[in-house]
Amino acid sequence: MTRFTLPRPTSGDIIDLIIDDHRVMESLLRDVRDSSGDREAARQAYSALLVAHSVAEEEEVYPTLRTKTAQVGEHEVEHGEEEHAEGLAALLELLEAKGTDTQKYDDAAEKASNYLYHHVVEEELTILNPARSDLSDAVRADLGAKFLARRSALLDEDCGDIETVRRLVARAVKDDTIPSADLPESPGH
């Protein structure tokens, strides 16, 4: 796929695994912005990891957090899902930028970076910290295994392609997770 090798752990504590993915995505976004490197490869790797991470987290982690944690409320989980959808919309804008040496690309890279940094800080403080104390080691390990299995399956499916991202964004709009007014005008909308 790219010259970037995405980590493929096979087990771990869900909190640590999510935080590790956050650090990898931050690194990939630095490469997305670096005009001296392979921006296209970084963009594709970031897309694959963001999609795999977001989908696996929503499908395998958030449902348990809704039922097993006293400190993570429905609002925090729903807000996390909204932020995932906003991140996918920012990713779509980045993927739709033709080439990697245009102002449109740079603007989209900045928007994606701003989204990720906001989301990472908020999720780590309001969802992951409380979950670390509310969930047992066994539950965190079980969630880690489920998250990684789904994440790996998605990466194997090349989940970061533009058509998949378009479908995910369209579904978020249809489900009223994000308003369509937040999306850029593009041929895919």
Side-chain angles (χ1 to χ4, degrees):
M1 177 175 82
T2 69
R3 71 172 181 83
F4 291 92
T5 302
L6 298 176
R8 296 274 194 130
T10 56
S11 65
D13 179 304
I14 188 59
I15 308 302
D16 297 331
L17 293 168
I18 290 172
I19 290 171
D20 290 348
D21 268 3
H22 289 170
R23 300 298 87 81
V24 172
M25 286 186 273
E26 289 168 342
S27 177
L28 286 169
L29 276 172
R30 279 191 297 278
D31 291 324
V32 161
R33 296 186 308 263
D34 182 357
S35 63
S36 68
D38 187 349
R39 292 172 118 185
E40 182 58 35
R43 173 167 63 173
Q44 294 306 313
Y46 174 71
S47 181
L49 185 56
L50 180 65
V51 170
H53 174 92
S54 298
V55 171
E57 195 172 52
E58 287 184 24
E59 291 178 0
E60 302 298 337
V61 180
Y62 283 0
T64 297
L65 294 180
R66 281 187 168 97
T67 61
K68 291 196 182 262
T69 63
Q71 297 180 57
V72 178
E74 182 70 21
H75 171 75
E76 286 81 7
V77 173
E78 285 180 8
H79 187 67
E81 291 170 346
E82 289 169 8
E83 287 190 348
H84 284 167
E86 291 167 359
L88 291 170
L91 173 61
L92 182 57
E93 192 171 335
L94 182 65
L95 292 173
E96 288 179 338
K98 301 296 182 216
T100 60
D101 59 351
T102 65
Q103 188 61 48
K104 181 178 179 177
Y105 177 89
D106 288 345
D107 292 346
E110 180 179 1
K111 186 175 183 177
S113 296
N114 289 338
Y115 147 77
L116 183 71
Y117 293 126
H118 169 82
H119 173 70
V120 162
V121 168
E122 197 165 272
E123 184 175 68
E124 289 177 9
L125 290 173
T126 66
I127 294 177
L128 300 181
N129 280 342
R132 188 181 302 274
S133 62
D134 281 358
L135 300 176
S136 70
D137 292 347
V139 169
R140 291 196 319 263
D142 181 58
L143 284 176
K146 290 175 181 174
F147 170 79
L148 289 173
R150 183 65 176 128
R151 178 185 176 276
S152 286
L154 289 160
L155 288 172
D156 290 344
E157 296 168 8
D158 195 23
C159 65
D161 70 281
I162 193 166
E163 292 308 317
T164 299
V165 176
R166 281 187 180 130
R167 281 193 305 275
L168 291 169
V169 170
R171 184 173 66 203
V173 169
K174 182 178 179 243
D175 294 345
D176 289 325
T177 305
I178 56 171
S180 61
D182 289 350
L183 301 177
E185 290 298 317
S186 71
H189 297 120

